[in-house]
Structures are given as structure tokens and as C-alpha cells.
Amino acid sequence: MGRQAEAYRKLFDDVRAGRVRPLYFLHGPEEFMKREFLRELTAAVLPQGDRTFNLDIIHGDEFEAQAFDDRVQAYPLFATRRLVVLRNFDALSPSVRERVAERIENLPEGLVLVIESAQEKLETVAHKRLAELASRTGVAQSFAPLDDSETLERVLSRIRREEYRVDADALDLLIESVGTALIDLSNEIDKLLLAAADTKHVTRDLVESVVGKYRTVSLFSFLDSAGSSAPATVLPRLATLLESGEEPVFIVAMLLRRVVSLMEVQRVIAERGGAVANDRALAGMIAATPSSFFAGKLREQAARIPAHVLESMLANLRWADLRLKTSSLDPRAVIEEALLASHAGKTLATPPLPA
């Protein structure tokens, strides 16, 4: 179990065991796990019948200081505890953040306060102060994304808990099409379980029909051509994806995932040789996929792309990812530049991080 998964396990186990703290500062980009934790915390703090008068959710972009003070000061009504959730702490002005940090120095008995922030690295004085306060009197927990293997295991656990079967190539297609953000995967799994209610079996064809054949086919054709086809083939497919509404950062993330998988396949084949002569054996040796079908596709693509080209693509896609996240440049132009440079065997210089 990875470090982040272990941190989540401990956090959830403490709440399920009744070890509830008065203050929780949940910070980081993993929104799905925040929602899951809040569900567990709410169940532990407030029975269903106590929530009408004792559960308040405040949004940072609609924040009113007096209303916040009133809700924090209020006594539980027909219950022993109250739960107040402040979402999007980042939306508050610097002075209001400081006010909130001051206000939570002395929380009344019976109150459980949860404050959420999307920041993983705490950069402002108020964020750091809040984390310090929570560490002293409650919990300050980073909500970073799980790695791919942990995400895959969580998805499988959800499907098995509902007593459904899922084919390996169906799971691969789902992750290739949707990505590894748990909140996006959760939404698609809800749809898949509903669509497979009669058979209790999630197949590749079902994923294709539920997620959308156009999206899965166009995304796969793009990933399959990257690195091994001429720009005249790759760039029109990129344009099609962008015009259909795919997010540029998502496209680059999927490309990075594919490049890393191809590098892993090349490494395993070089090290293991005949031990991975068939696709089933290869699938058992790599982290990229448990599916022999997709392992075979990766083997074919890895054979077409020299190792030095994959290394160049990895560097250039990381360059593109940073550019997309830290500049206002045209996303299509950024991705095209990374792909063209890779095709030409050039490595783009990574821009310095903003101060």
C-alpha cells in the first residue's frame, strides 16, 4: 500500500472507530476522497435524524463572516454535536482567511469543523497557520491523488462490493478513456453499474457504449499513433479530440501515461526476454495493465518506437504539461509543438517554475 493510500486508510479508520477530532483541515486536489471522507465523518458525528439542525455547509465564494461566526457558535439542537463544513477556503480574501484562522483558535465544545482547500502545497500565511492549528487540535490531511495501481484497486473494490464482474480489457478502456481521477471514474462507474444491472457483468462493449464510442475510439487512435506515425496523421487526430471538447491537460496526461507504459514494456521485454514471449505473460509482468489484449497492443506499439524517441516524448510532454498549467499559451499549439519536437528528435527546454 502506498503512502497516500495508507494515510487515507488511517484517517477513515479513526473516524469509523469513533476517534473524531474537533477540527479537520483537508487540503489538496483529490475531491472524490474528500467527499468520501466527509460522508464517513457525517455518519460518525450526526445520526440521520440529527442533521437537519446540526449540519451546515458554507461555500467560500458565498462567505459571510457573521453567518460563519453564528454557525460556529451555535449549540447542538437535540443532539450532542454539530458539524460545520467550510468549502473552498481558497476563495476567501486574505483578510477573511486570517479572520477564520483566528476564529478557530477556540472552538466551542460539541463542534466539529471541517475546512477544505484545493491547495496541496500550502503557500499563504493563512493556509500554513490553519494547517498548524489543525495539527495541534485536530487533523491536517493532504488529499493528493492515489497512484494508478491504487486507483485501479479502489475501482475494482467498488465493483466487487456491488457483486459485479468486470473484464480486464473493459477496465483498461474505462481508465484510458476517462483518466485516473477518482471523481470522474466514480461518475462513469455509477452509469456502468446501472447499465449492467441485469447481467452484473461489465464488458468492453458496455464501456464503449456507456462512455461513448466516439470518445473511446478517437482517443485510442490518437494514443496508438503517437510516437510512431507522421505528424500528418497525429495532428489531425489531436485537433479532432480538442474540437470534441477533450481537455488539453487530460490529453497530455493520457499521452504521458501511455509513454510511461511503453517504456515499461520495452524495459520488461529487454530484461525478461522469452519469459514474456506471450501477451498473457507480459500482462503479468507490467503495472500498466492486467489485460493480455492491451498488453499485446502495448507490445506492438513499443516495438515501433525507438527508446530514445520515447525518452524525448516523455520530456516534451512534461514540458507541455507545465506550459498548459502555468501559461496562457494556446493549448493546441503547445501540444503540437511537443509532438513535432518529439518526431524531430528534439527535447524542449523546460521553462522555469514561476516564483
Side-chain angles (χ1 to χ4, degrees), residues 309-328:
V309 173
L310 286 177
E311 291 172 2
S312 177
M313 286 188 69
L314 183 64
N316 291 337
L317 288 169
R318 286 173 172 166
W319 171 90
D321 183 62
L322 186 58
R323 285 274 177 161
L324 290 174
K325 292 175 179 176
T326 61
S327 77
S328 57

Side-chain angles (χ1 to χ4, degrees), residues 114-127:
V114 179
I115 300 179
E116 297 182 2
S117 164
Q119 285 192 13
E120 186 169 2
K121 296 180 179 178
L122 305 177
E123 298 174 347
T124 73
V125 172
H127 282 83

Side-chain angles (χ1 to χ4, degrees), residues 224-242:
D224 289 345
S225 63
S228 57
S229 299
T233 299
V234 177
L235 298 187
R237 291 177 178 175
L238 170 64
T240 298
L241 284 171
L242 291 170

Side-chain angles (χ1 to χ4, degrees), residues 21-25 41 58 68 72 82-86 100 104 107 111-115:
R21 308 299 298 275
L23 176 62
Y24 291 88
F25 180 38
L41 183 64
I58 303 167
F68 175 75
V72 167
R82 280 178 47 75
L83 176 61
V84 175
V85 181
L86 172 56
V100 169
I104 65 175
L107 295 176
L111 175 69
V112 177
L113 176 62
V114 179
I115 300 179

Side-chain angles (χ1 to χ4, degrees), residues 23 25 27 89-90 97-98 101 104-105 117 119-136 140:
L23 176 62
F25 180 38
H27 60 92
F89 180 73
D90 313 325
R97 289 177 195 161
E98 289 294 337
I104 65 175
E105 288 272 9
S117 164
Q119 285 192 13
E120 186 169 2
K121 296 180 179 178
L122 305 177
E123 298 174 347
T124 73
V125 172
H127 282 83
K128 293 175 182 177
R129 182 178 178 190
L130 191 54
E132 182 184 348
L133 285 169
S135 297
R136 289 205 314 261

